[in-house]
Amino acid sequence: MEAASGRERQAREYLEKHGIMELLNHLTTVLLFFRPEKPRDYLITLLERVRIAKETGVAFPFFMDNSNIVAMFEMMDSAGRGAISFVQYKEALKTLGLCTEDEVLKGEGHIVTLDQFRDEVNKRTEKIWSSF
């Protein structure tokens, strides 16, 4: 029984070390967002773009472009105030696979602007891809 728990711990450590769960979560989110006709081909293309970016040193490809981020923000900011609540912000990050349920984010109780939201989505997306 101890050997099994040791293997489970090693597996968990491996997944954490290489950011595999975050990567898979993000890939799933991207698939659900874009809903490509051929999901396997789409995933292969995404991973190939990441590999090329890493090998050549060019910027990592962002699969949520600015128009997607703005559209998501505007859906949450239905009153057009130019800001969303912190709760909406965290839910959006979770929906995009960029935040876990138990993750503690700075700024609790504050409002979040489009620029702040865009910056955080891009920063977290780059972190996921760069760890790959």
Side-chain angles (χ1 to χ4, degrees):
M1 198 60 134
E2 285 183 39
S5 66
R7 284 193 304 267
E8 288 175 16
R9 182 183 43 75
Q10 287 176 338
R12 198 171 29 257
E13 288 171 358
Y14 176 83
L15 294 173
E16 287 175 12
K17 176 182 176 185
H18 296 285
I20 301 298
M21 296 312 295
E22 292 86 358
L23 174 65
L24 292 174
N25 191 20
H26 190 67
L27 289 172
T28 302
T29 300
V30 170
L31 277 177
L32 293 174
F33 187 83
F34 290 107
R35 299 182 189 261
E37 196 65 35
K38 296 180 178 181
R40 289 181 187 173
D41 292 344
Y42 185 77
L43 286 174
I44 291 168
T45 301
L46 290 181
L47 293 172
E48 182 64 15
R49 288 172 62 193
V50 171
R51 185 187 65 77
I52 291 169
K54 197 163 199 158
E55 286 179 1
T56 61
V58 300
F60 283 91
F62 290 106
F63 305 107
M64 291 267 315
D65 66 17
N66 188 56
S67 65
N68 301 133
I69 295 170
V70 169
M72 178 176 258
F73 185 88
E74 288 175 348
M75 286 190 308
M76 294 181 291
D77 182 24
S78 57
R81 297 176 309 164
I84 58 174
S85 72
F86 190 81
V87 171
Q88 290 172 306
Y89 165 71
K90 185 169 182 178
E91 283 301 314
L93 291 178
K94 286 191 312 193
T95 299
L96 294 171
L98 300 174
C99 175
T100 62
E101 182 72 39
D102 59 345
E103 184 175 350
V104 176
L105 301 175
K106 296 178 182 175
E108 185 77 41
H110 292 63
I111 61 169
V112 177
T113 66
L114 172 58
D115 288 339
Q116 291 169 315
F117 181 67
R118 180 187 303 115
D119 291 346
E120 191 65 20
V121 168
N122 288 334
K123 179 179 82 176
R124 287 172 176 262
T125 301
E126 185 172 356
K127 181 180 176 189
I128 288 171
W129 292 119
S130 66
S131 68
F132 175 66

